[in-house]
Amino acid sequence: MTSTATGGPLTAEGLGARVQAFLADHDPASTDRLKFLRARFDAGLAWVHYPEGLGGLGADPSLQPGVDAAFAAAGAPDNRPHTNIIGLGMAAPTILRFGTPEQQRRWLRPLWTGEEIWCQLFSEPGAGSDLANVATSAKPAGDEWVVNGQKVWTSLAHDATWAILVTRTDPAQPKHRGLTFFVCAMDSPGVDVRPLRQITGESEFNEVYLDDVRVPDAQRLGEVGQGWAVTQNTLMNERVAIGGGTIPRESGAIGELVKVWRERPELRTPGQHDQVLRFWVEAEAGRLTAERLGQQQAAGMPGPEGSGVKLTHARLNQQISSFELDLLGDEALRYTDYSARRPVLVTHSESPANWRFLRAKGNSIEGGTSEIMRNIIAERVLGLPAEARADKDTPWKDLPR
Amino acid sequence: MTATPVTGDLLYSEIEDDLRASVRSLLEKQGAWDAVLARTETDETVDRELWARLAEIGCAALAVSEEQGGAGASWREAAVVAEELGRAVAPVPFLGSAGLAAALLVAVGEQEILPQLAEGGLVAALAVPFGTAPGAPTPAVELRGELLHGTVRGVADAVAADVLLVPVGNDLYAVGAEADGLTRTPIVSLDMTRQLVDLTLDSVRGRLVASDAEGAVTDALRIGAVLLASEQLGLAERCLETTVEYLAIRRQFGRILGSYQALKHRLADLWVLITQARAVARYAAECAATGSADLPVAAALAQAHCSVVAQQAAEECIQLHGGIGFTWEHPAHLYLKRAKSNAIALGTPERHRAALAELVDLPGVPA
């Protein structure tokens, strides 16, 4: 733990005192929302484990929930974290790890306050699980780069000010070595965002076409050719963001199922009873596994369980929501609305069961497919050898496509 | 929605890590699997010498207080020992004596047997069929006059027992293993690393240990279920490790078998199940150690989950070893036999799910 200007390591009590002092100076009831959030960032009380001057105090990350709770208890506005998931979960840690001091000062504050929303331009039609296969090119032009290509599965692209972008800068190198990572302004000329309609009828995601988009070299994160290392760091944060966390008993898909089971005895059949109990056991085992992972992380021993938690979460969401439709029978045959539209953010429980059934199909694909998760576990945890592969040492331009 | 109980500590403490290291080192020296296998075909199916060594480091009564002669630890530490014994399919009466019997004697406040059991000089066993779930009825041993009559089939850890704890209606009796009229018949058991015994009581004199003991028997079986879950966890982990080691060296079609995705994915899925088994087993041990009101849920959850995981691990171990895994000379069959027996022991997964239906309010079809 770091010492601070006031001397001594930061404790929960010390942070609590700082929060109360801040609240005394900035009354949440009478201070403008953005002004309040900017001041909170400047006081180092935004993400306390970040360095001083960048919204933090170099404190232990386990102290953050206490700080958030103290602000919430005082009725303070929050930064609406659910509206900027990519920014907070992926872009910020990447900027912190690879950004220059100028880049960190420019981007982190409006990112945290939610004034600027972020998206990621990673996947392409030809680069899904094999992300290192990206074909979007960036060619140098003075102190700028000219970017051309097509990205896909970009959530929030229509709301975003900035994007984190992976490009190929040297096609003569093997695939992992010719990549470079940039930050791209989404209002740049040549950026074209088109909604991508999905299985539920809505468009949560977008396709993004990049046509001679000019990106200043000052917006490069990491060295030229170092893009794969930066990308892997970003994806590691994504998996942590999707996988872990503390959850109450019977939350999520199992909560919806047992609610119907309890409230509607007329739907129950003898054959379904043991299956409901099986799901309850699996969901509770999954919940305790996530709790244990959280305890490991809090104790400074992050385990590889995150990939497993994600795998289980995806499988159970799919199986349990499917079973809930069986339970509902005829009612499940009516869908609410397949018309093309942007989705309205509502809590899980407010969505109809068959929407949840369809949406859950994405859980085993987004953020790394379940197959990739199993490869990660088998190779990095169990130490089994990688599949024989033909693309590691060949120049990218010579690979069959 | 049911309330979420406090989770408590699901990690291993330093003391638990040290205890694990001591037990593992002892088992590596004295409990190698080929010796375990050879012992199953002798008249001495229990390794009494190993049990004496384990008792020396306190394993005979970890969760018994020091005043009662125990180690003054808790069911958390006992669960760690159970993990190690499961890894080694060790033929010692830990579950029956240090688990079921110790829990029962503590629950009824027994003073005579407990100190001897704790110091390792005496082994006790609970005289119920091994498949008895917490709360299930126990066999009808009757008191006629002052003597006990009845039959109890398939009792665990009674081979090495000096004292049998016999539920008689709502009472609990202690019967010496050599008592007149008591016949103990060891049976050829599916799991010969934990040989079961049929008991016949024909005019046997017992000592009344406690009246109104039915609840205590249920509580003891529940503690047994908690320890059994940790044993299943240890067993599953060992099966996965053995299989990974084998697939990392075995070559077919010119490739290391472990590089095939079809096999890697199966092992990855098994690893995920084992991380869950560890979480539920630790939660059950924590609930037992702290006397949590959620213990009945935690124990049923742990048994419903760990039974399935351990069996799957043992089955994958055999299948992924191919032909060698089907032979008598390879330890895989010891693990499968222990895993399948454990899945039935102290209630099948289905029984525990039925218990959960009551406990967490998920009733069946209305009558």
Side-chain angles (χ1 to χ4, degrees):
Chain A
M1 204 166 292
T2 3
S3 292
T4 64
T6 51
L10 262 177
T11 60
E13 292 72 33
L15 271 174
R18 281 172 188 246
V19 172
Q20 294 316 320
F22 179 88
L23 288 166
D25 289 345
H26 304 81
D27 178 12
S30 59
T31 312
D32 169 71
R33 179 175 173 277
L34 267 183
K35 212 172 144 191
F36 183 92
L37 291 172
R38 287 175 187 156
R40 179 175 161 186
F41 184 94
D42 294 338
L45 297 169
W47 33 33
V48 294
H49 58 295
Y50 272 50
E52 287 186 59
L54 296 174
L57 295 165
D60 192 277
S62 64
L63 298 173
Q64 184 69 37
V67 171
D68 290 339
F71 275 108
D78 72 3
N79 60 344
R80 296 177 190 148
H82 60 284
T83 61
N84 201 11
I85 289 168
I86 309 268
L88 292 165
M90 300 171 73
T94 309
I95 293 165
L96 184 66
R97 170 81 177 71
F98 292 98
T100 63
E102 294 73 36
Q103 290 173 330
Q104 292 169 345
R105 275 196 297 276
R106 164 63 189 87
W107 284 320
L108 288 176
R109 188 177 187 239
L111 185 161
W112 185 82
T113 60
E115 289 165 80
E116 293 177 348
I117 303 296
W118 287 65
C119 65
Q120 62 163 341
L121 296 172
F122 278 23
S123 295
E124 298 180 7
S129 288
D130 185 11
L131 184 59
N133 197 41
V134 294
T136 293
S137 68
K139 293 188 174 136
D143 56 1
E144 293 184 324
W145 296 77
V146 179
V147 179
N148 281 284
Q150 180 193 350
K151 295 287 181 177
V152 75
W153 299 119
T154 311
S155 46
L156 300 171
H158 49 294
D159 294 328
T161 308
W162 299 102
I164 43 179
L165 167 70
V166 190
T167 66
R168 185 161 306 280
T169 43
D170 189 352
Q173 291 280 348
K175 66 200 300 182
H176 297 94
R177 277 176 248 160
L179 301 171
T180 303
F181 201 103
F182 294 99
V183 171
C184 175
M186 288 300 285
D187 62 356
S188 308
V191 176
D192 181 15
V193 177
R194 301 181 199 171
L196 180 65
R197 205 168 167 202
Q198 69 199 38
I199 193 167
T200 58
E202 309 146 291
S203 299
E204 256 177 277
F205 304 94
N206 303 277
E207 294 177 291
V208 177
Y209 291 82
L210 303 162
D211 185 15
D212 282 337
V213 176
R214 303 186 84 85
V215 177
D217 188 57
Q219 288 173 205
R220 176 166 45 77
L221 279 182
E223 300 302 316
V224 174
Q226 200 197 356
W228 185 242
V230 184
T231 305
Q232 283 198 302
N233 185 271
T234 308
L235 292 177
M236 201 181 66
N237 287 306
E238 176 179 34
R239 279 168 199 147
V240 170
I242 290 179
T246 301
I247 30 176
R249 181 174 275 179
E250 292 184 4
S251 55
I254 190 66
E256 299 310 314
L257 174 62
V258 296
K259 192 162 156 239
V260 175
W261 186 265
R262 288 181 187 133
E263 289 174 1
R264 312 222 8 220
E266 76 281 5
L267 296 176
R268 299 177 199 157
T269 66
Q272 287 173 328
H273 189 215
D274 190 53
Q275 188 56 58
V276 170
L277 297 168
R278 282 173 191 266
F279 283 140
W280 195 93
V281 166
E282 288 197 74
E284 181 65 2
R287 183 186 77 86
L288 288 167
T289 308
E291 291 260 333
R292 188 165 192 277
L293 176 65
Q295 292 185 1
Q296 274 178 290
Q297 287 171 340
M301 309 178 289
E305 280 85 349
S307 299
V309 169
K310 182 185 182 299
L311 262 176
T312 304
H313 178 257
R315 180 177 60 80
L316 286 180
N317 267 358
Q318 293 172 351
Q319 292 179 345
I320 292 174
S321 59
S322 170
F323 181 86
E324 190 182 338
L325 299 201
D326 292 346
L327 184 61
L328 292 169
D330 280 328
E331 286 172 43
L333 302 179
R334 296 161 195 273
Y335 194 70
T336 40
D337 185 3
Y338 276 127
S339 64
R341 66 202 193 286
R342 290 290 181 190
V344 186
L345 281 178
V346 293
T347 61
H348 210 67
S349 58
E350 289 171 54
S351 312
N354 45 20
W355 182 91
R356 284 185 277 111
F357 164 70
L358 294 173
R359 181 61 186 84
K361 294 301 173 207
N363 295 161
S364 53
I365 301 168
E366 58 205 350
T369 65
S370 290
E371 287 69 28
I372 292 291
M373 292 298 129
R374 291 187 180 97
N375 282 355
I376 289 173
I377 292 166
E379 291 169 21
R380 297 194 201 158
V381 182
L382 300 179
L384 289 166
E387 286 262 334
R389 51 190 291 185
D391 62 345
K392 270 203 146 157
D393 303 312
T394 311
W396 179 79
K397 61 185 173 54
D398 299 331
L399 289 173
R401 256 185 300 284
Chain B
M1 185 152 141
T2 56
T4 306
V6 175
T7 306
D9 182 3
L10 303 182
L11 304 180
Y12 297 105
S13 69
E14 259 178 65
I15 291 172
E16 288 164 351
D17 287 340
D18 291 347
L19 176 63
R20 180 195 302 286
S22 309
V23 173
R24 187 173 296 187
S25 133
L26 182 58
L27 289 168
E28 277 166 2
K29 276 181 228 136
Q30 274 187 257
W33 74 266
D34 45 354
V36 173
L37 174 65
R39 181 177 293 281
T40 65
E41 295 192 283
T42 67
D43 293 335
E44 271 294 329
T45 56
V46 175
D47 190 342
R48 290 167 198 267
E49 204 184 310
L50 175 60
W51 181 239
R53 296 288 88 72
L54 284 163
E56 279 169 18
I57 55 172
C59 295
L62 279 164
V64 175
S65 70
E66 288 177 35
E67 299 80 67
Q68 291 166 301
S74 78
W75 294 116
R76 283 181 57 103
E77 289 80 5
V80 169
V81 174
E83 281 183 39
E84 291 305 307
L85 297 175
R87 278 180 69 90
V89 283
V92 291
F94 177 81
L95 181 65
S97 190
L100 293 165
L104 181 52
L105 292 170
V106 169
V108 299
E110 201 279 344
Q111 306 285 343
E112 245 176 77
I113 306 170
L114 196 54
Q116 301 174 63
L117 179 151
E119 141 246 314
L122 177 150
V123 170
L126 174 59
V128 299
F130 198 27
T132 308
T138 52
V141 174
E142 309 173 327
L143 191 65
R144 289 188 214 143
E146 292 184 340
L147 301 174
L148 299 170
H149 293 262
T151 303
V152 189
R153 289 165 62 83
V155 177
D157 291 331
V159 169
D162 304 293
V163 174
L164 298 159
L165 302 175
V166 186
V168 180
N170 203 9
D171 296 333
L172 183 71
Y173 281 80
V175 171
E178 305 302 331
D180 287 340
L182 173 70
T183 315
R184 289 189 295 165
T185 312
I187 61 170
V188 180
S189 310
L190 175 63
D191 173 15
M192 280 302 286
T193 64
R194 178 148 53 210
Q195 189 177 27
L196 305 181
V197 171
D198 288 346
L199 300 177
T200 310
L201 295 89
D202 183 10
S203 304
V204 176
R205 187 168 299 280
R207 174 172 72 85
L208 179 67
V209 170
S211 302
D212 203 13
E214 216 168 342
V217 170
T218 297
D219 290 348
L221 289 167
R222 196 165 274 139
I223 293 295
V226 170
L227 296 178
L228 187 61
S230 282
E231 184 183 310
Q232 289 165 323
L233 165 64
L235 183 152
E237 273 195 290
R238 186 71 194 109
C239 288
L240 176 63
E241 278 174 27
T242 311
T243 310
V244 168
E245 282 163 20
Y246 182 68
L247 290 190
I249 54 163
R250 171 80 170 166
R251 275 178 193 275
Q252 292 282 273
F253 310 105
R255 275 174 63 177
I256 294 285
L257 275 186
S259 70
Y260 283 99
Q261 211 172 37
L263 306 185
K264 280 155 77 169
H265 283 192
R266 283 168 66 163
L267 292 180
D269 285 337
L270 183 56
W271 178 84
V272 172
L273 286 174
I274 290 172
T275 62
Q276 295 168 352
R278 183 174 294 106
V280 296
R282 279 277 90 189
Y283 179 61
E286 169 76 6
C287 285
T290 58
S292 162
D294 203 40
L295 175 60
V297 172
L301 171 75
Q303 271 300 289
H305 193 66
C306 295
S307 293
V308 176
V309 174
Q311 187 179 331
Q312 186 173 327
E315 287 170 345
E316 289 289 58
C317 181
I318 288 181
Q319 176 64 23
L320 296 178
H321 275 82
I324 188 75
F326 187 68
T327 63
W328 187 263
E329 286 72 25
H330 191 278
H333 67 99
L334 295 179
Y335 287 90
L336 178 70
K337 291 164 183 172
R338 175 67 74 91
K340 188 63 204 178
S341 301
N342 280 357
I344 296 165
L346 305 178
T348 61
E350 190 272 331
R351 291 282 185 127
H352 288 287
R353 288 196 296 270
L356 284 171
E358 298 277 322
L359 292 165
V360 303
D361 181 31
L362 288 171
V365 179

